[in-house]
Amino acid sequence: NSARVIVPITTKTPQTAQNAMATLEQNRSGGGTIFLPAFQAAYGLIPQTSSEKYHIIFLTDGEDSGSVPQCET
């Protein structure tokens, strides 16, 4: 159960935005999304920025497969 950062924290410029889009376009899903480690990894990066505002963008190709208990319907 691990997560990886695809695009590191950066200041947005036209070049960094273009680089981020190119990186995301090359990324391929592998299935087995487990949400909690991804959120923990993103939260752990926040101290690395001195910005007053920041955004965490979470992309997934499916449903959580294990980190959040499922509710019965």
Side-chain angles (χ1 to χ4, degrees), residues 3-71:
R4 63 189 169 107
V5 175
I6 297 173
V7 179
I9 292 176
T10 186
T11 301
K12 184 185 175 213
T13 66
Q15 186 62 49
T16 60
Q18 183 177 356
N19 291 347
M21 290 302 296
T23 300
L24 290 172
E25 287 172 358
Q26 294 173 6
N27 188 53
R28 297 290 173 245
S29 61
T33 304
I34 302 177
F35 293 5
L36 186 58
F39 287 116
Q40 290 171 325
Y43 185 75
L45 295 175
I46 293 171
Q48 295 179 19
T49 181
S50 60
S51 298
E52 291 182 21
K53 296 181 183 179
Y54 50 86
H55 305 277
I56 295 172
I57 300 170
F58 177 71
L59 303 174
T60 180
D61 64 344
E63 296 180 19
D64 185 19
S65 63
S67 62
V68 178
Q70 300 298 315
C71 297

